[in-house]
Amino acid sequence: MKKDGVKLFVDGKRLDGRELDELRPIKMEVGVLKRADGSAYLEWGENKIIAACYGPREVHPRHMEEADKAIVRVRYNMAPFSVPDRKRPGPDRRSHEISKVTKEALESVVLTHLYPKTVVDVFIEVLQANAGTRCAGITAAALAMADAGIPMRDLISSCAAGKIEGKVAVDMMGAEDNFGDADLPLAISPQKKEVTLLQMDGNFTRKEFEEAFNMAMKGCLDVYEIQKQALLKKYEV
Ligand code: ADP
């Protein structure tokens, strides 16, 4: 929420010099971990994230397995050193929530019926955080899954939009997230533009919501292009 005295625009530009519809710089690389079946490293502004994927493999504990399909398990974790004040290690309410919504965002594109009684395990490790880590984590996780060769009918791409000092803007960074008015993370399967995650924190008018949704959608499609490049790069000779 907005706190008195914090200015989020300087000379009409955002604090990091961006326009309202401009994403932070994004870099992605796949196949960064030897021991995972698939992996990805992603830098998104000051966010730094590693994702690893294993599977389809045997389910432990056994009682979690499903007779007719694979299950998808996601663990989102923030390193203690990922934020300015040390984060208490281990799971908390926030990481449980993000793991749950991430699993739901990713699972919808996996052809789970092909691998009954198995699990696709996805680990998202946030090494450095500066707002938007759920979107960055989902984006990295989808890449790691594709890198692992998990059969999927599409990738998943994610990006948020928000409201800062009453103006709708894409991809909020730390200060904007802390002192802004609203945040709208979105994840889509880009080919059909189906929404697989939509959350909202703060308040938008209906018109602002539509504007933010469209901005986040455009952000997701830009992210999708970078994901495709990262995957193609692995197979360049
Ligand atoms: P997201 O990272 O998806 O935007 P939140 O809105 O919950 O998720 O968090 C916003 C940002 O707040 C995070 O990206 C991170 O920079 C910061 N943050 C989250 N948890 C903590 C924490 N325990 N200590 C310090 N900063 C945190």
Side-chain angles (χ1 to χ4, degrees), residues 78 83 85 87 94 98 129-134 177 183:
M78 267 175 112
V83 287
D85 299 317
K87 186 215 165 267
R94 179 176 170 277
I98 297 181
N130 190 256
T133 61
R134 83 192 57 207
D177 188 74
D183 190 14

Side-chain angles (χ1 to χ4, degrees), residues 4-220:
D4 287 343
V6 178
K7 285 215 168 310
L8 297 174
F9 288 97
V10 177
D11 299 331
K13 297 246 176 155
R14 294 160 73 176
L15 294 180
D16 53 4
R18 280 185 293 154
E19 302 292 340
L20 290 171
D21 60 353
E22 195 176 339
L23 295 176
R24 290 174 282 184
I26 302 177
K27 279 196 274 185
M28 304 179 195
E29 192 182 339
V30 297
V32 293
L33 301 174
K34 253 197 177 140
R35 275 174 265 294
D37 294 329
S39 57
Y41 174 67
L42 179 146
E43 286 184 9
W44 185 324
E46 288 179 16
N47 292 316
K48 295 186 176 177
I49 293 180
I50 290 260
C53 175
Y54 295 84
R57 64 181 180 181
E58 234 175 63
V59 186
H60 294 288
R62 267 282 160 79
H63 66 84
M64 287 182 75
E65 75 178 28
E66 301 249 359
D68 57 346
K69 60 174 189 166
I71 60 167
V72 177
R73 265 193 313 217
V74 173
R75 192 191 74 177
Y76 164 101
N77 182 53
M78 267 175 112
F81 50 79
S82 64
V83 287
D85 299 317
R86 175 180 179 276
K87 186 215 165 267
R88 192 161 179 259
D92 52 20
R93 280 169 62 98
R94 179 176 170 277
S95 66
H96 276 298
E97 179 226 319
I98 297 181
S99 299
K100 177 183 184 290
V101 295
T102 300
K103 168 205 150 79
E104 288 164 4
L106 296 169
E107 192 175 32
S108 57
V109 289
V110 179
L111 303 179
T112 52
H113 64 280
L114 296 179
Y115 297 97
K117 299 185 178 179
T118 68
V119 59
V120 174
D121 274 315
V122 178
F123 298 90
I124 298 166
E125 295 290 329
V126 179
L127 308 177
Q128 189 170 287
N130 190 256
T133 61
R134 83 192 57 207
C135 295
I138 289 169
T139 300
L143 275 183
M145 288 163 70
D147 184 43
I150 304 295
M152 303 193 291
R153 58 182 173 83
D154 200 354
L155 266 179
I156 295 291
S157 311
S158 183
C159 182
K163 186 165 63 164
I164 41 182
E165 291 186 9
K167 294 193 183 86
V168 173
V170 79
D171 185 25
M172 302 204 293
M173 47 100 161
E176 295 173 336
D177 188 74
N178 286 341
F179 303 116
D181 310 316
D183 190 14
L184 187 87
L186 173 71
I188 60 162
S189 61
Q191 299 201 43
K192 289 194 178 164
K193 296 191 187 160
E194 283 170 348
V195 173
T196 66
L197 171 134
L198 181 64
Q199 296 186 284
M200 191 169 113
D201 184 17
N203 296 310
F204 288 107
T205 63
R206 195 186 165 101
K207 188 166 165 288
E208 286 167 348
F209 174 85
E210 279 170 20
E211 202 185 331
F213 182 87
N214 290 335
M215 260 193 186
M217 176 66 80
K218 160 99 183 29
C220 288

